[in-house]
Amino acid sequence: MKVFKFGGASVKDAEGVKNVATIINRFPGEQLVIVVSAMGKSTNALEVIVQNAFEDKAYQDELNQLYDYHKNIVETLQIHVELNYFIDLIIQQLEGNRKMAFPKYYDQVVSVGELISSSILSAYLNSVGINNEWTDARELILTDDTWRAGIVDTTTTVEQIETKIIPILTNKHIVTQGFIGRTINGYTTTLGREGSDYTGAIFASALDAEGLWIWKDVPGVLNADPKLFNDAVKLPELTYYEAIEMTYYGASVIHPKTIQPL
């Protein structure tokens, strides 16, 4: 069993979604848990929307742009996804939770990006014959109420993943969301920016997977940021301790929390 994580850049457009299907088809007979981030810059767009709403500023134009962006992907892929449901959900969260402190308010809204992207990916994969079941990560990953950086209740989370995911994997892939969880009281939490890698590691650990594959727009872990250094070199492998040290000193290629579960 393998866990695949696809970041926002990997699914930023219809061609990216199609490429995910191409990758999955390279692993016939495998049991796959597919974790996906929000598409493209959707999280950034939702951050602007939630900030505007919290400050009682207009946000409808930004929300319309978010809808149009996803609608274009859905139409190009020729699938059906109820995008209006998600837009209504965003508005409901924005208007119904105005008395919340901002970090909690943020989590209820920004988390919708992953719900949209995973729904689109799941629908497309099923449309091209890749049998999968969309699964809400919030039903699996339990956190405390540290908003925007939820601390995972590992024991309960592992129990829920084992109980709910293993039976499905006997005949279907799983498509789920990175970055999000839920408190015992039912409020959505987020795990911190770039937290989808962490989600992948949680699933890989809980399911005793063969490994976690993080599909990115670079060829591997490099010894420097390729946007800043033209001569950056790919590292063929890293020890656990080297990876820990890299994340500790700020390397953005791996989320700091990702390493420990792995």
Side-chain angles (χ1 to χ4, degrees), residues 204-219:
S205 178
L207 295 168
D208 194 23
E210 178 184 344
L212 168 65
W213 280 253
I214 300 175
W215 298 88
K216 302 178 82 75
D217 55 352
V218 290

Side-chain angles (χ1 to χ4, degrees), residues 109-179:
V109 177
V110 174
S111 55
V112 179
E114 273 69 19
L115 299 178
I116 299 173
S117 64
S118 58
S119 297
I120 291 173
L121 178 60
S122 176
Y124 178 72
L125 294 179
N126 276 323
S127 76
V128 295
I130 300 175
N131 197 20
N132 75 90
E133 183 166 322
W134 183 92
T135 303
D136 192 337
R138 298 172 299 174
E139 300 294 333
L140 304 170
I141 296 179
L142 180 70
T143 77
D144 69 356
D145 58 0
T146 304
W147 312 110
R148 301 186 69 174
I151 297 173
V152 175
D153 179 336
T154 304
T155 301
T156 303
T157 296
V158 168
E159 289 174 355
Q160 293 182 156
I161 290 174
E162 288 178 340
T163 301
K164 297 176 181 179
I165 295 300
I166 291 175
I168 298 172
L169 285 172
T170 57
N171 56 16
K172 294 180 182 178
H173 300 312
I174 295 288
V175 173
T176 192
Q177 309 79 37
F179 182 55

Side-chain angles (χ1 to χ4, degrees), residues 182-204:
R182 182 176 283 163
T183 69
I184 196 169
N185 294 321
Y187 288 103
T188 300
T189 55
T190 62
L191 306 181
R193 286 301 301 264
E194 308 302 327
S196 293
D197 288 0
Y198 182 34
T199 302
I202 291 169
F203 276 100

